[in-house]
Amino acid sequence: MAAEEESLTGPGGAMPAPDARPQQPERPTGSGTVPELLLGRPPMARPLPSFDTEALPEEPGPLFVEWLATALDAGVLDPQAFTLSTVDEDGMPDARVLVLRDVDAVGTGWNFSITADSPKGRQLAAHPAAALSVYWPQLGRQVRVRGSVERAADLVAAAEFATRSPAARAAELVGRQSERMTALEEYDDALAAAHRQLEATPDVVAPGHAVYTLWAHEVEFWQGEARRRHVRVRYTRTGPVRTPEWTRMLLWP
């Protein structure tokens, strides 16, 4: 993940205790081809939760929050990580993993923070629309969101920056995301300087720190199933942004 993004351990930046770290899967052995390696680990070959399409809420926001809470309860690693997809000035797609900061369940907006002068910040300034996707492997659940993106006021961004861990704030103070770096020691020196700056001025806000909301136009919920009887439900907004006007439909897998 890019240096300026908050650690996936969350605002506190706490790492799991050594005895709480998940066991790493065994590395594949032999000289099999990639297809052979993948066929040996078929997806969804495990018990997965059901998806009751007869008890759906009228709007997608509450359902996403419910699924997120279920992922947290199930011990899914980094359930707040999501992929944000944008397009560059040439119309080429670009994607990266970010950290979810909040969800406006009523208006159906997903909040995240980035540096405005980063590549993704410049892309959103030129094309304020994006797609968001999240996948929780232990549950076999995927959520896809498409919509318009709106940047919040600087005061909102400053308040959000203050909630981050010291490590996350220092990392963003370093800046220069995606610029060429000749050696890792350059970053180490810049990070140490950023920590000194943060200690001297605890209220400092990284230049260009920005909070964005992706206001959903479409939201799709996908529940995987071992027999490939996947269940898909799509919500489509029928009214203006922030209004609770939606239709929903089942989709073929």
Side-chain angles (χ1 to χ4, degrees):
M1 179 175 297
E4 92 283 3
E5 305 304 341
E6 182 175 359
S7 166
L8 291 183
T9 56
M15 294 296 292
D19 59 354
R21 293 173 183 168
Q23 294 184 349
Q24 296 297 317
E26 295 183 1
R27 294 177 60 86
T29 57
S31 56
T33 64
V34 171
E36 289 172 341
L37 293 175
L38 296 178
L39 287 172
R41 297 287 183 91
M44 310 294 159
R46 58 189 179 278
L48 295 172
S50 60
F51 184 11
D52 184 3
T53 60
E54 299 298 323
L56 294 171
E58 296 296 322
E59 306 158 24
L63 181 56
F64 179 86
V65 173
E66 177 188 329
W67 276 27
L68 176 62
T70 300
L72 287 164
D73 291 342
V76 174
L77 297 178
D78 305 330
Q80 69 274 56
F82 69 91
T83 299
L84 183 76
S85 300
T86 55
V87 294
D88 65 14
E89 60 185 3
D90 297 319
M92 292 292 292
D94 199 0
R96 77 288 288 161
V97 177
L98 301 180
V99 175
L100 181 67
R101 300 295 296 169
D102 197 3
V103 178
D104 183 336
V106 177
T108 317
W110 279 255
N111 296 343
F112 58 94
S113 56
I114 60 175
T115 302
D117 62 357
S118 66
K120 52 189 167 293
R122 295 192 296 270
Q123 291 166 3
L124 288 174
H127 304 283
L132 175 158
S133 58
V134 60
Y135 177 59
W136 297 306
Q138 288 93 322
L139 302 173
R141 284 180 169 176
Q142 175 183 202
V143 182
R144 302 169 58 205
V145 182
R146 296 199 303 165
S148 55
V149 177
E150 179 181 53
R151 180 174 173 177
D154 290 344
L155 287 175
V156 174
E160 189 274 341
F161 189 78
T163 67
R164 290 173 164 237
S165 68
R169 282 180 282 160
E172 189 159 354
L173 283 168
V174 170
R176 303 183 61 181
Q177 192 216 356
S178 297
E179 294 182 16
R180 182 174 180 178
M181 184 173 65
T182 57
L184 289 174
E185 288 75 16
E186 289 184 66
Y187 181 77
D188 294 336
D189 292 342
L191 185 61
H195 276 289
R196 291 193 294 271
Q197 179 185 4
L198 193 59
E199 291 174 1
T201 54
D203 295 333
V204 67
V205 178
H209 179 74
V211 171
Y212 297 81
T213 300
L214 192 165
W215 296 108
H217 297 179
E218 289 183 353
V219 184
E220 180 185 317
F221 295 86
W222 184 95
Q223 173 64 68
E225 204 267 349
R227 298 168 299 167
R228 301 302 188 269
R229 188 181 178 274
H230 310 315
V231 179
R232 296 173 62 191
V233 173
R234 177 188 293 162
Y235 286 79
T236 302
R237 193 187 291 274
T238 57
V241 169
R242 299 181 181 83
T243 60
E245 300 175 26
W246 296 85
T247 60
R248 65 179 184 269
M249 66 180 72
L250 284 170
L251 300 176
W252 282 76

